Amino acid sequence: GDFEYDFLDDVTIEITRYTGDGGNVVIPSTINGKKVTSTGYRAFQDCTTITNVTIPNTVTNIADYAFAWCENLISVSISDGVTNIDYNTFLDCPHLISITVDPNNKNFSSENGVLFNKNKSELRLYPAGISNQKYTIPNSVTKIDRRAFSCCSNLTSIILPNSVTH
């Protein structure tokens, strides 16, 4: 199919490379009867034809640089099963405008396309393709992750609440 993969153990799979045509990509929940639980390091990197990605609830880990440099990626839908998203997962995706997280996810949330931890105390990623020139960080945020605003060329102003300490 459209995915290269490795077996993590007898029952789970990690996607190691995407080889499909792009467009709307739905990561499968199983391949050959084995549960897909991870997108590996740089698995989708430089896939310039991908526009939208849907991550199933079987996937718990989205590795570093998994979708880095996907220059035409517009939206990502994250299921309730994801427990880890590394910091550089969506590095330099200039057209990314929306990350949506299933409300039942116990570790992450989203608001207006912006990725947060569940209780919105940590701003994980402000998508680079959002066209707003000004962004007001919610008062609940105490920490902003490194590279959270990487490549956000449209932003000219960020309003920090007093709650931000990191």
Side-chain angles (χ1 to χ4, degrees):
D2 294 340
F3 303 94
E4 294 176 8
Y5 54 90
D6 285 337
F7 292 98
L8 295 177
D9 51 40
D10 289 341
V11 294
T12 64
I13 285 177
E14 176 178 81
I15 302 287
T16 57
R17 191 76 193 140
Y18 175 72
T19 59
D21 294 332
N24 295 322
V25 174
V26 177
I27 295 173
S29 56
T30 62
I31 295 176
N32 295 329
K34 307 285 185 186
K35 187 163 65 166
V36 176
T37 59
S38 181
T39 60
Y41 178 73
R42 299 183 178 209
F44 294 81
Q45 177 184 313
D46 294 315
C47 292
T48 59
T49 58
I50 294 175
T51 55
N52 305 288
V53 172
T54 301
I55 300 168
N57 64 359
T58 58
V59 171
T60 58
N61 181 56
I62 305 172
D64 228 9
Y65 300 99
F67 296 94
W69 301 286
C70 290
E71 65 183 43
N72 292 306
L73 182 60
I74 297 168
S75 70
V76 177
S77 178
I78 298 171
S79 71
D80 62 345
V82 176
T83 59
N84 180 62
I85 302 171
D86 283 334
Y87 291 101
N88 297 310
T89 297
F90 301 104
L91 181 67
D92 203 9
C93 295
H95 295 104
L96 182 60
I97 56 172
S98 179
I99 297 173
T100 26
V101 178
D102 185 302
N104 295 319
N105 187 296
K106 294 178 181 174
N107 298 287
F108 300 100
S109 62
S110 61
E111 182 178 296
N112 299 320
V114 179
L115 180 64
F116 296 90
N117 68 340
K118 183 61 177 182
N119 67 2
K120 293 190 177 90
S121 64
E122 186 176 338
L123 193 155
R124 297 293 309 267
L125 180 70
Y126 182 92
I130 294 177
S131 61
N132 298 342
Q133 291 182 331
K134 179 181 175 182
Y135 180 65
T136 301
I137 295 173
N139 288 328
S140 59
V141 173
T142 60
K143 179 182 179 186
I144 300 170
D145 285 354
R146 63 178 178 225
R147 296 189 176 167
F149 291 97
S150 180
C151 302
C152 293
S153 59
N154 293 324
L155 279 177
T156 58
S157 174
I158 299 172
I159 310 300
L160 293 170
N162 291 334
S163 60
V164 174
T165 57
H166 294 91

